[in-house]
Every structure is written in structure tokens, then in C-alpha cells.
Amino acid sequence: MPAIRDVSWIATTVATGTTLVIPIPEYAENDLLLAVIVADTGTGTWTATGWTHVTGSPVTNTAQLACMYKIATASESDTTFTRSVSESFNGCIISIRDIDITNPFGATPIVNFTNQASAAKFNMQTISTNVNNSLV
């Protein structure tokens, strides 16, 4: 059954940066590495070598959220995430063990997000998983 193995995080306070280096958490080969990065503004694109966006692109609200993933190899190192627009960032990498390395998000991934640029409270959407023993 999938379980979180470890998490590492970092924050920046300088609004002129375009990169965020997140330390690699404890992991084992074939763990799912999930990066969650937040920027203060809702513009820009994120890239990192070997990482794939979960939603296809960052989710833009008044801030911006990017979720990226990869399957861990035998030798991972701290990852540099690069953004096309300067800002201050916060980010973490979560290592998740015992996942299906072929379909880490299910045979038909459930990817659901909504851009919300207003200051009004937003009700989170609900999802139902389509595989047994999922983490979410």
C-alpha cells in the first residue's frame, strides 16, 4: 500500500529568483517523487529535467501552484526547478513508496483542477479513486 516515506522543503524570500533548488528527501528506487511548488504570482511556467507536470501545466489563481512528479532512479540528487518569471517560491518534494510505477496515479489518472482568481472562498472539488490502495 502506498505510504509517504519522507518529505523535504525549502522557501525563498527574495522576489528576484527564477530557480528553486529543493533537497531530495529520503527515497528508494521506484518511489514516486512528487514536487509541490507555490509562487506568489500566477504567471510563468516551471521546468525541471526529468520531471512531468501532473496537471499538464501549473494551476493559476492569485498565486501559482505547480505539481510535478518522477519515478526515482537509483541515484537522485537535489533538484533545480526553473520558472520563466521571477518571484519568491516555496516548494517541497514528497517521496511515496509502494506505488505502481507504470500508473502512479491510476490506470486512468484523475486530474482535476480549477483556476480561481477571485478573493472569494473556494470549495475544493472531490474525487473518487479508480484503483485499490491509493494514497489519496
Side-chain angles (χ1 to χ4, degrees), residues 2-16:
I4 293 174
R5 182 184 303 274
D6 194 22
V7 63
S8 66
W9 66 274
I10 194 159
T12 63
T13 56
V14 179
T16 58

Side-chain angles (χ1 to χ4, degrees), residues 52-59 65-69 110-114:
T52 302
H53 282 274
V54 173
T55 61
S57 63
V59 178
L65 173 70
C67 294
M68 301 172 77
Y69 74 96
I110 300 170
V111 177
N112 200 356
F113 67 93
T114 300

Side-chain angles (χ1 to χ4, degrees), residues 34-116:
L34 181 64
V36 180
I37 307 167
V38 178
D40 285 344
T41 59
T43 61
T45 56
W46 285 97
T47 58
T49 303
W51 290 75
T52 302
H53 282 274
V54 173
T55 61
S57 63
V59 178
T60 300
N61 295 309
T62 52
Q64 186 183 56
L65 173 70
C67 294
M68 301 172 77
Y69 74 96
K70 72 181 294 189
I71 303 301
T73 63
S75 60
E76 294 292 336
S77 60
D78 296 353
T79 302
T80 301
F81 295 89
T82 304
R83 189 165 184 253
S84 60
V85 176
S86 297
E87 191 53 80
S88 56
F89 317 118
N90 296 306
C92 71
I93 296 177
I94 305 164
S95 61
I96 303 168
R97 65 178 192 209
D98 300 330
I99 55 104
D100 177 345
I101 62 171
T102 304
N103 298 303
F105 300 103
T108 304
I110 300 170
V111 177
N112 200 356
F113 67 93
T114 300
N115 288 333
Q116 174 73 11

